[in-house]
Amino acid sequence: MEMLDRRSKVVFVCFVVLSLLFNFSLEQQQQLLNSGVERLALLQLRSSLGLTAKQWPIKADPCSVWAGIQCQNGSVIGINISGFKRTRIGSKNPQFSVDALQNFTLLASFNASNFALPGTIPQWFGTGLASLQVLDLRSCSISGSIPFSFGNLSSLTGLYLSGNNLTGIVPSTLGQLLSLEVLDLSGNNLTGTVPVTFVGLRNLTLLDMSSNFLTGGIPPGIGSLARLKLLNFSGNSLSSSIPAQLGDISSLVDLDLGSNSLSGPVPPDLRGLRNLQKLDIGRNLLSGSLPANLFPPLNQLQLLVLSHNTFTGGLPDVLWSMPQLQLLDASGNNFTGALPSLSSNANGTAAMLNLSQNLFYGSLGSVIRRFSFTDLSGNYFQGRVPDYARSNVSFVGNCLQNVLNQRSSRECASFYAERGLTFDNFGVPNATQPSSQPRKKSHRTIIILAAVLGGVGLVVLLVIMLILLIVCTRRRSATNQRGTGVGPVPAGASPSPPRMGLNFSSLGDAFTYQQILHATGEFGDENLIKHGHSGDLFRGILEGGIHVVIKRIDLHSAIKEACMSELDFFSKVFHPRLVSLLGHCLENENEKFLVYKFMPNGDLSSSLFRKTNSDNDGLQSLDWITRLKIAIGAAEGLSYLHHECSPPFVHRDVQASSILLDDKFEVRLGSLSEVCAQEGDNHQHRISRLLRLPQTSEQGSSGSPNTTCAYDVYCFGKVLLELVTGKLGISASSDAALKDWLEQTLPYISIYEKDLVTSIVDPSLIIDEDLLEEVWAMAVVAKSCLNPKPARRPLMRYILKALENPLKVVREEYTSSARLRTTSSRSSWNAALFGSWRNSSLDVTAIPAAPVNKVEGGSSFKQSATTGSQGSGQNGEGMHSSSIRRQSREIVPEPINVQDVERPIEV
Ligand SMILES: *[C@@H]1O[C@H](CO)[C@@H](O)[C@H](O)[C@H]1NC(C)=O
Ligand SMILES: *[C@@H]1O[C@H](CO)[C@@H](O)[C@H](O)[C@H]1NC(C)=O
Ligand SMILES: *[C@@H]1O[C@H](CO)[C@@H](O)[C@H](O)[C@H]1NC(C)=O
Ligand SMILES: *[C@@H]1O[C@H](CO)[C@@H](O)[C@H](O)[C@H]1NC(C)=O
Ligand SMILES: *[C@@H]1O[C@H](CO)[C@@H](O)[C@H](O)[C@H]1NC(C)=O
Ligand SMILES: *[C@@H]1O[C@H](CO)[C@@H](O)[C@H](O)[C@H]1NC(C)=O
Ligand SMILES: *[C@@H]1O[C@H](CO)[C@@H](O)[C@H](O)[C@H]1NC(C)=O
Ligand SMILES: *[C@@H]1O[C@H](CO)[C@@H](O)[C@H](O)[C@H]1NC(C)=O
């Protein structure tokens, strides 16, 4: 026990001795202030500036404890009171009272930036602080002038006086501070000239005299300050020209001469600034054109400001490919020329380009691709705005097509004419171009020519009108009782857009081009859905967050009729099974826009199978209930077009991609640009053929199979088959491969043999016995639609009923034919469906059309037709009730030839 005690005592003593030694050596390093004079001076300073006890605690040692005091060998060498707070009393009457500084004989730096020292810099600063190396008095509210005595601070390397209220001239004695590396006098009210003595400051790396009231010129000798990295004279009133000698400062990184009154041209010698990253010579009176070889060495350039001078000529091409360029501001000059079309170097994401208020012309070069913010306003650019020109581009005041707030045609034309350039006149053909200054000689010939052509034209016009009159009257007498005169005018018949005839109230809102641009992000590629055959489709969001699809129809390239016939169509029909037109924008001459409601589930071709969100590689396919619902919905839409419009409309583009689906998989038929009145129901097609007026591409000659409702039925059959078999793309194709496929597939569809169908049913469908009957029924309906003879295909309204009652299709037909092959089934729509199938003499046109009025459609629309057993929407009759079936017998015609029913069905 004793041994242990003693040993611990020894350890304790050793520990105490060691720790004392350690403490001592620490204090040796920290060097307590050993000069009484300096201690007194610090206390004086403390009270004259009103510093707080928190920062400078009065009883502690200044060197080791006070904030901002730097000592060496027990003497104060640095005082930093930057940003300190004064005591309440001290801040009442702040003064520039730092007299005590004179008692620190070794003081090398004094930093009082952001500490209010209202008053003037005392004259003794220059004489009393001989060892001072850094004086930082930025933003100290100092007024008065800079003492001449500063010239004696021969050790000074950094003099920071910016952000004060210094007045008077810049003392030329500062030129004696040969060690000076940083001289910052910016943001004062200094006047006079830049002292020529500054040329002696050979060690200067930063010279900032910006934002003063300096006048005179830039001393050329500045060019000999070979270590300068930053030279900033901006925001003064310097006149003279830019000294060529500045080009000698090869170390210069940042040259800012902006906002002065510098004049003359840019000296080519500036190309010597091979390390330059920022050059601002904007807002001066500089003129001339930029030396073409000014920039090649400047491949470090990040910022180039040339704005608001009177530069002429072009921008050197090399500018566009400068790898580091982040900002190019050439606005407000008389720069001219066309922008080059450099497609490479198209990166640089944070870049800004301002070419506004110049005389640039020509089409928008692809160079603007690399800039994220671009201001091209106030130039003479012409042509179209490319899609990649994103939303952060200002185009105001140019000569561009389809853009708001452009210059007048006259202004643009005369600009282009003055320069001997070709102006596209906003894309309007030459004929209407205001004849700016055609040669007088050709004037007369033009007049004569016009007169002759006019005369010929008049004769031709008269002949055409005569023919029209004859044809019309003849047709009218032939089809009088059908009353087709009120039908919509088909596209091909009207060579000029029938705009006046359109009922705009049913075409939704009229959007401005600006709104369309905004909604689609200026037709950004990311918003492009697809290139449709009648125009490009873009995704868009209107103000208020409404998602829309916008179709852009370029009337230059696209079939003009497509747009107009679609508008015409929409002005005449409305049905909840047709895609809804929210609005239009027709204000541009050559580009029209139709705005549709956005369909969250896309179209059938894209949503029949969709990738599952889970990581299973599998595709999720639509379930049978949804497929049936879609089939019924599409049939409702087509039935409306075929049977409720007068004259009947043929959709002509029935395929999976035309069947649009909303969020609840309710069908909206789209792709309506091909819609036309059924051939034979409208005589105007004949006129257009007679006059050889342009027709839509697919529109064939007389009797063309795809302008009849039966054509739609055939296409719909393919859609149904696609739903049954899950084989994508059937409905979109019509080639030989499809024919082969149909030949192989159709034999598996038999009204007598349910199980056969299982070999063609989409394997991804999960169906029980009951559902299989519905699938079977749809397949049977599909097959009847695909009858090679158009006249034998069922009418759309019977197809609709069959789809609404699929079990009846197979059960009734099956039982009736299996049992007796009697005529029992002929009493229903079912009979019509199969009757038309069997009965060779039954012609589509032989069936009297149902009463045809323009129906607003709402009444015949069934919001949710998810199950096959649901009642038919049409006219409100339900087919599951036998009492109502009697009613339907009155509507649905029976097959004419009863014997034919006995004939085996070719299923
Ligand atoms: C510190 O003072 C000692 C003598 O007092 C001197 O020898 C030494 O050079 C001084 N050190 C510095 C860095 O001035
Ligand atoms: C501090 O410096 C001033 C001016 O040089 C001088 O008058 C004064 O005596 C000095 N104070 C001390 C304590 O040496
Ligand atoms: C300069 O002085 C004026 C009044 O003379 C004052 O309003 C202004 O705030 C001062 N500016 C600075 C930076 O101290
Ligand atoms: C200038 O800087 C160099 C190197 O930094 C130095 O050797 C030289 O003494 C400086 N000149 C003056 C006059 O201080
Ligand atoms: C310095 O100039 C500014 C701006 O012209 C002015 O508001 C301010 O009063 C001036 N200060 C002095 C001290 O002249
Ligand atoms: C551009 O040049 C025209 C004369 O051609 C002149 O009137 C105009 O002031 C110049 N604009 C600029 C910004 O230099
Ligand atoms: C810019 O594009 C070039 C080639 O196209 C490529 O080498 C370079 O890395 C790109 N720079 C950036 C910042 O993406
Ligand atoms: C206008 O006419 C000129 C000459 O007649 C021709 O070179 C130019 O291509 C025409 N421009 C348009 C847009 O038709």
Side-chain angles (χ1 to χ4, degrees):
M1 282 296 276
E2 271 187 35
M3 279 279 282
L4 202 85
D5 227 342
R6 192 173 297 168
R7 198 177 289 172
S8 66
K9 265 180 191 165
V10 170
V11 168
F12 178 69
V13 168
C14 283
F15 175 74
V16 168
V17 168
L18 273 175
S19 63
L20 277 176
L21 275 173
F22 185 67
N23 261 359
F24 179 72
S25 68
L26 252 183
E27 278 178 9
Q28 273 298 92
Q29 271 188 349
Q30 282 193 345
Q31 289 157 357
L32 296 168
L33 188 62
N34 60 13
S35 155
V37 174
E38 292 193 358
R39 185 177 174 81
L40 200 62
L42 278 174
L43 289 175
Q44 268 178 20
L45 204 57
R46 186 178 180 276
S47 73
S48 70
L49 294 179
L51 299 175
T52 60
K54 193 181 164 201
Q55 281 145 339
W56 285 10
I58 204 156
K59 286 187 177 148
D61 175 70
C63 285
S64 51
V65 178
W66 288 17
I69 301 294
Q70 199 187 354
C71 299
Q72 197 174 50
N73 262 1
S75 294
V76 175
I77 59 160
I79 298 176
N80 183 352
I81 55 169
S82 172
F84 276 23
K85 287 238 166 58
R86 293 176 191 263
T87 57
R88 200 142 27 94
I89 296 164
S91 54
K92 261 186 187 162
N93 190 18
Q95 293 291 327
F96 199 149
S97 54
V98 290
D99 289 354
L101 285 182
Q102 299 167 80
N103 298 76
F104 304 108
T105 48
L106 297 175
L107 191 66
S109 90
F110 179 60
N111 181 351
S113 58
N114 294 305
F115 184 91
L117 296 173
T120 59
I121 302 174
Q123 277 295 333
W124 56 257
F125 253 61
T127 50
L129 302 171
S131 56
L132 207 58
Q133 290 169 24
V134 176
L135 178 61
D136 189 344
L137 298 174
R138 283 178 283 184
S139 303
C140 293
S141 303
I142 303 167
S143 52
S145 57
I146 302 170
F148 270 69
S149 60
F150 268 31
N152 299 323
L153 296 170
S154 56
S155 306
L156 214 56
T157 58
L159 179 57
Y160 302 86
L161 297 174
S162 66
N164 287 291
N165 258 333
L166 294 170
T167 52
I169 63 166
V170 180
S172 57
T173 51
L174 293 185
Q176 300 163 16
L177 305 176
L178 299 184
S179 302
L180 211 55
E181 289 166 13
V182 176
L183 178 55
D184 183 358
L185 305 178
S186 64
N188 283 289
N189 289 17
L190 298 169
T191 51
T193 59
V194 179
V196 284
T197 54
F198 279 13
V199 303
L201 303 173
R202 295 301 167 91
N203 274 6
L204 214 53
T205 59
L206 184 150
L207 176 56
D208 190 347
M209 305 185 74
S210 61
S211 302
N212 280 289
F213 298 104
L214 301 174
T215 52
I218 299 171
I222 297 280
S224 61
L225 304 181
R227 295 185 174 192
L228 221 47
K229 285 195 164 66
L230 183 146
L231 179 58
N232 190 348
F233 283 135
S234 67
N236 283 287
S237 304
L238 298 176
S239 47
S240 88
S241 54
I242 300 174
Q245 287 87 339
L246 291 189
D248 297 340
I249 316 174
S250 58
S251 58
L252 206 58
V253 170
D254 188 344
L255 175 58
D256 192 346
L257 306 176
S259 299
N260 278 288
S261 301
L262 301 171
S263 56
V266 178
D269 308 71
L270 287 193
R271 68 172 171 272
L273 302 172
R274 58 173 184 274
N275 288 306
L276 205 62
Q277 291 175 9
K278 297 178 181 175
L279 175 60
D280 184 350
I281 51 175
R283 307 166 306 283
N284 278 292
L285 304 170
L286 299 165
S287 57
S289 55
L290 295 182
N293 61 353
L294 175 58
F295 297 102
L298 305 184
N299 58 1
Q300 309 282 320
L301 207 62
Q302 295 170 7
L303 174 147
L304 177 59
V305 180
L306 306 166
S307 63
H308 297 97
N309 284 287
T310 48
F311 288 124
T312 53
L315 286 177
D317 277 0
V318 68
L319 271 185
W320 304 112
S321 48
M322 286 198 172
Q324 309 290 329
L325 197 63
Q326 288 296 302
L327 186 147
L328 171 56
D329 185 352
S331 60
N333 281 285
N334 265 339
F335 281 122
T336 187
L339 298 188
S341 270
L342 308 171
S343 55
S344 56
N345 296 307
N347 47 15
T349 46
M352 289 181 70
L353 172 67
N354 187 352
L355 299 181
S356 62
Q357 312 303 329
N358 278 290
L359 306 172
F360 288 106
Y361 55 80
S363 54
L364 296 176
S366 56
V367 288
I368 65 172
R369 249 179 216 266
R370 70 170 282 198
F371 297 92
S372 355
F373 300 92
T374 307
D375 187 351
L376 303 177
S377 55
N379 282 285
Y380 290 86
F381 287 112
Q382 67 170 351
R384 302 187 41 159
V385 175
D387 288 346
Y388 58 73
R390 305 215 184 280
S391 44
N392 295 325
V393 184
S394 172
F395 296 121
V396 174
N398 278 283
C399 305
L400 292 162
Q401 294 173 26
N402 303 329
V403 180
L404 290 178
N405 301 322
Q406 297 296 291
R407 292 179 193 272
S408 73
S409 168
R410 181 185 301 270
E411 202 179 345
C412 294
S414 81
F415 174 89
Y416 276 81
E418 271 169 27
R419 286 159 180 79
L421 301 163
T422 311
F423 175 47
D424 68 6
N425 197 30
F426 300 102
V428 180
N430 266 354
T432 55
Q433 197 170 326
S435 51
S436 41
Q437 52 238 47
R439 269 149 285 165
K440 283 208 171 112
K441 225 162 81 180
S442 63
H443 226 103
R444 192 170 297 170
T445 25
I446 287 174
I447 291 172
I448 293 171
L449 218 82
V452 170
L453 284 180
V456 172
L458 198 70
V459 170
V460 170
L461 208 76
L462 279 173
V463 170
I464 289 174
M465 280 170 71
L466 201 71
I467 294 172
L468 272 177
L469 201 71
I470 292 168
V471 173
C472 284
T473 44
R474 207 191 291 155
R475 283 299 301 182
R476 185 157 300 155
S477 60
T479 59
N480 229 1
Q481 68 273 33
R482 303 198 62 166
T484 52
V486 291
V489 180
S494 44
S496 67
R499 292 175 65 167
M500 299 318 292
L502 291 182
N503 171 14
F504 281 96
S505 62
S506 56
L507 293 177
D509 299 331
F511 292 100
T512 65
Y513 181 64
Q514 217 53 41
Q515 284 174 304
I516 300 280
L517 270 184
H518 186 74
T520 58
E522 307 223 353
F523 304 107
D525 286 342
E526 69 280 1
N527 287 328
L528 180 69
I529 299 170
K530 65 174 179 183
H531 299 287
H533 51 78
S534 63
D536 295 345
L537 293 174
F538 290 87
R539 217 170 279 117
I541 301 178
L542 297 178
E543 292 110 343
I546 303 161
H547 290 252
V548 293
V549 171
I550 294 178
K551 177 151 80 180
R552 178 168 71 176
I553 304 157
D554 181 356
L555 295 189
H556 280 312
S557 59
I559 329 97
K560 191 171 254 170
E561 295 79 31
C563 167
M564 283 313 156
S565 75
E566 187 167 350
L567 276 178
D568 190 60
F569 173 76
F570 273 116
S571 75
K572 294 196 161 71
V573 305
F574 168 79
H575 192 271
R577 284 304 185 200
L578 304 179
V579 68
S580 53
L581 186 72
L582 297 181
H584 53 85
C585 167
L586 306 173
E587 66 185 36
N588 283 351
E589 196 64 39
N590 303 307
E591 233 179 358
K592 309 291 178 195
F593 303 91
L594 301 183
V595 181
Y596 309 95
K597 196 171 165 186
F598 176 72
M599 292 284 120
N601 275 315
D603 61 51
L604 177 58
S605 70
S606 62
S607 54
L608 188 52
F609 296 100
R610 57 180 61 208
K611 288 216 173 69
T612 48
N613 285 339
S614 56
D615 42 19
N616 317 349
D617 60 324
L619 293 169
Q620 190 184 10
S621 77
L622 286 183
D623 61 45
W624 176 250
I625 301 291
T626 310
R627 291 188 197 201
L628 187 60
K629 171 177 166 171
I630 290 169
I632 292 169
E636 278 174 358
L638 288 171
S639 184
Y640 166 74
L641 292 180
H642 289 184
H643 305 300
E644 290 173 51
C645 296
S646 169
F649 280 111
V650 183
H651 185 283
R652 300 212 299 162
D653 194 22
V654 176
Q655 54 170 297
S657 63
S658 303
I659 296 174
L660 308 179
L661 302 168
D662 76 2
D663 52 343
K664 298 189 183 74
F665 288 95
E666 294 292 350
V667 167
R668 296 273 194 168
L669 284 184
S671 195
L672 297 168
S673 60
E674 296 287 315
V675 169
C676 75
Q678 178 163 233
E679 186 104 331
D681 283 82
N682 204 302
H683 62 276
Q684 304 201 38
H685 272 279
R686 307 261 159 109
I687 299 171
S688 65
R689 269 200 306 281
L690 186 71
L691 299 178
R692 303 210 180 281
L693 292 174
Q695 299 190 340
T696 53
S697 52
E698 285 173 23
Q699 197 170 309
S701 57
S702 178
S704 159
N706 63 7
T707 53
T708 62
C709 292
Y711 175 72
D712 276 356
V713 170
Y714 184 84
C715 296
F716 187 63
K718 291 195 286 183
V719 172
L720 293 181
L721 217 50
E722 196 162 329
L723 287 169
V724 167
T725 63
K727 189 169 161 63
L728 286 172
I730 301 169
S731 61
S733 125
S734 56
D735 56 8
L738 174 79
K739 285 216 176 76
D740 290 347
W741 183 83
L742 282 179
E743 262 171 35
Q744 289 163 21
T745 308
L746 289 183
Y748 289 100
I749 302 173
S750 160
I751 191 72
Y752 304 115
E753 192 61 61
K754 177 168 75 178
D755 289 337
L756 267 184
V757 83
T758 54
S759 35
I760 61 163
V761 167
D762 183 355
S764 71
L765 272 179
I766 299 159
I767 37 177
D768 60 15
E769 198 61 21
D770 264 2
L771 291 186
L772 182 62
E773 279 199 351
E774 292 184 358
V775 177
W776 178 33
M778 190 189 283
V780 166
V781 173
K783 186 171 183 181
S784 76
C785 292
L786 291 168
N787 194 314
K789 296 194 173 155
R792 295 214 190 172
R793 294 170 200 154
L795 293 185
M796 198 44 92
R797 72 179 113 161
Y798 303 136
I799 297 168
L800 174 60
K801 293 210 167 146
L803 292 171
E804 284 169 341
N805 304 275
L807 298 187
K808 277 180 183 267
V809 172
V810 283
R811 285 184 186 159
E812 282 196 8
E813 181 63 19
Y814 181 75
T815 46
S816 63
S817 9
R819 239 186 261 142
L820 291 166
R821 308 216 167 164
T822 64
T823 60
S824 71
S825 67
R826 73 194 165 125
S827 58
S828 70
W829 46 267
N830 220 340
L833 182 66
F834 293 101
S836 69
W837 203 0
R838 297 179 201 113
N839 193 333
S840 58
S841 68
L842 189 65
D843 189 89
V844 176
T845 51
I847 298 168
V852 277
N853 299 316
K854 183 180 174 185
V855 175
E856 285 303 303
S859 63
S860 67
F861 177 54
K862 234 354 194 226
Q863 186 53 263
S864 172
T866 46
T867 62
S869 58
Q870 206 158 19
S872 133
Q874 197 148 7
N875 304 331
E877 76 243 73
M879 295 319 295
H880 38 258
S881 149
S882 63
S883 65
I884 291 169
R885 188 172 326 146
R886 189 186 47 78
Q887 242 182 340
S888 73
R889 198 182 305 156
E890 292 157 16
I891 297 164
V892 179
E894 298 168 9
I896 291 163
N897 205 336
V898 174
Q899 285 94 302
D900 266 18
V901 179
E902 298 295 329
R903 206 158 52 83
I905 301 166
E906 326 106 62
V907 175

